[in-house]
Amino acid sequence: MDPLNRTWTPSFLLAGFAAPRTLRPLAFLGTLCIYILTLAGNLFIIVLVRADAALSTPMYFFLSVLSFLELWYVSTTAPTLLHTWLHGRSPIPAAACFIQLYVFHSLGMTECYLLGVMALDRYLAICRPLHYHALMSRKVRLWLVGATWGAGFSAALVPAGLTASLPFCWKEVAHYFCDLAPLMRLACVDTGWHTRVYIVVIGIINICNLVLILGLYRGILRAVLKLPSAASRAKAFSTCSSHMTVVSLFFGSAFVVYVGSAGSHAEGTDKRIALVYTILTPFLNPIIYTLRNKEVKEAVRRVTQGIRTMWKGP
């Protein structure tokens, strides 16, 4: 790694992935296709929820918020990945690097809180059906969404601020975007204390939300098993299966990278695991939530018929 010239405003080099030059255009096209499909899939959910009145329920409101968040989340890292596929090692100003670090972790922590809110929504819908719409009124929904964004962007100030305050002696970031562990390896000082702070902050947020989600699903499971018919039990489980799949992908990769042994992975491991939660999960979320969802399929049919009717005219 190259040392920083301290007489100039520091900048970093994003190393990206080591790949033969002949394969880089193919990797770029593959990543670009996934990025475009991710944007299209999440925009599709947002537009569909807004366009179809039957989807104006709390569950689909939170799903549209998740899709909106994923649009920004994937756009925080995908452009730099595409740039490194094309140009190899790519320079990035230190200020832009720290902003990317902050925005990425803000959105990640916001998603962590939002997944907990979505679990609460399912719990109230199944366990408190008579009071569900009163408990999840529009005002409550907006307050919960605002709280998740506020909490996420506030909590990310700690890891981003501490990392930006470090003195750096090297500039090549062994990653395709600015993240905690790769940046800490470039510091001139021992970062053991910083690592412990990161684990505490990120670990507490992840663990508390995961415990909340598991506790809520325990209550859901008990309520569903008491339902009289197999059809009603299957319907209740189907509304939760997609959310649990997303929760497993999100928290599994987050614990591996940030909680299990933050900052101690071999170089190259972080960026391979990061592909799961920065590229794959935002790409899969629209598919997971729509593939087996009859309500979404019916909404697509209604919206399509409405567009055809408008196109044909009176």
Side-chain angles (χ1 to χ4, degrees), residues 41 44-45 48 60 63 238 241-243 245-246 283-298 300:
F44 167 77
I45 289 179
L48 187 65
Y60 291 106
L63 177 57
S238 67
S241 59
S242 299
H243 181 255
T245 303
V246 173
F283 170 70
L284 291 177
N285 279 357
I287 301 172
I288 292 170
Y289 276 107
T290 60
L291 192 60
R292 296 187 304 167
N293 193 312
K294 293 181 180 179
E295 291 181 336
V296 171
K297 292 178 181 178
E298 286 296 315
V300 171

Side-chain angles (χ1 to χ4, degrees), residues 58-309:
M59 181 177 78
Y60 291 106
F61 169 76
F62 290 124
L63 177 57
S64 67
V65 174
L66 177 64
S67 294
F68 177 75
L69 189 151
E70 295 286 27
L71 289 175
W72 293 100
Y73 188 66
V74 71
S75 297
T76 305
T77 58
T80 54
L81 175 58
L82 291 169
H83 194 271
T84 56
W85 280 132
L86 278 183
H87 304 287
R89 296 196 312 170
S90 303
I92 180 172
C97 184
F98 296 134
I99 290 172
Q100 183 184 51
L101 173 70
Y102 171 67
V103 173
F104 173 75
H105 280 277
S106 296
L107 294 171
M109 293 185 189
T110 300
E111 182 167 347
C112 180
Y113 287 115
L114 185 59
L115 290 173
V117 169
M118 294 173 75
L120 175 63
D121 172 69
R122 290 299 80 213
Y123 174 83
L124 294 176
I126 294 173
C127 301
R128 302 285 299 277
L130 298 178
H131 304 91
Y132 173 56
H133 290 287
L135 293 171
M136 275 294 173
S137 65
R138 176 176 174 79
K139 182 178 180 180
V140 171
R141 280 180 272 161
L142 292 175
W143 185 88
L144 286 171
V145 168
T148 60
W149 284 78
F153 276 75
S154 298
L157 287 170
V158 176
L162 285 176
T163 304
S165 66
L166 288 170
F168 294 98
C169 291
W170 296 273
K171 68 178 182 179
E172 184 171 324
V173 183
H175 214 302
Y176 59 88
F177 70 98
C178 294
D179 203 3
L180 291 174
L183 283 174
M184 285 196 296
R185 296 191 189 105
L186 310 183
C188 304
V189 297
D190 177 48
T191 58
W193 178 80
H194 297 76
T195 301
R196 288 191 289 272
V197 173
Y198 300 154
I199 292 175
V200 169
V201 173
I202 298 175
I204 286 177
I205 291 172
N206 277 273
I207 291 171
C208 288
N209 279 281
L210 184 58
V211 169
L212 171 66
I213 292 170
L214 294 177
L216 291 170
Y217 270 102
R218 180 184 176 187
I220 290 172
L221 180 61
R222 293 173 62 183
V224 169
L225 293 177
K226 293 178 182 179
L227 295 175
S229 66
S232 58
R233 289 194 294 271
K235 183 178 179 180
F237 278 127
S238 67
T239 64
C240 301
S241 59
S242 299
H243 181 255
M244 282 305 297
T245 303
V246 173
V247 166
S248 300
L249 285 171
F250 179 84
F251 283 97
S253 55
F255 272 100
V256 169
V257 175
Y258 298 110
V259 180
S261 54
S264 63
H265 299 103
E267 288 191 11
T269 303
D270 290 326
K271 55 188 174 185
R272 287 192 292 270
I273 299 174
L275 288 174
V276 175
Y277 57 88
T278 61
I279 303 295
L280 184 61
T281 301
F283 170 70
L284 291 177
N285 279 357
I287 301 172
I288 292 170
Y289 276 107
T290 60
L291 192 60
R292 296 187 304 167
N293 193 312
K294 293 181 180 179
E295 291 181 336
V296 171
K297 292 178 181 178
E298 286 296 315
V300 171
R301 183 183 60 80
R302 287 191 296 269
V303 171
T304 303
Q305 287 179 347
I307 294 174
R308 287 176 180 173
T309 302

Side-chain angles (χ1 to χ4, degrees), residues 18-36:
R21 186 174 294 274
T22 54
L23 293 180
R24 287 184 176 274
L26 185 61
F28 172 84
L29 289 175
T31 304
L32 181 62
C33 288
I34 292 175
Y35 180 45
I36 292 173

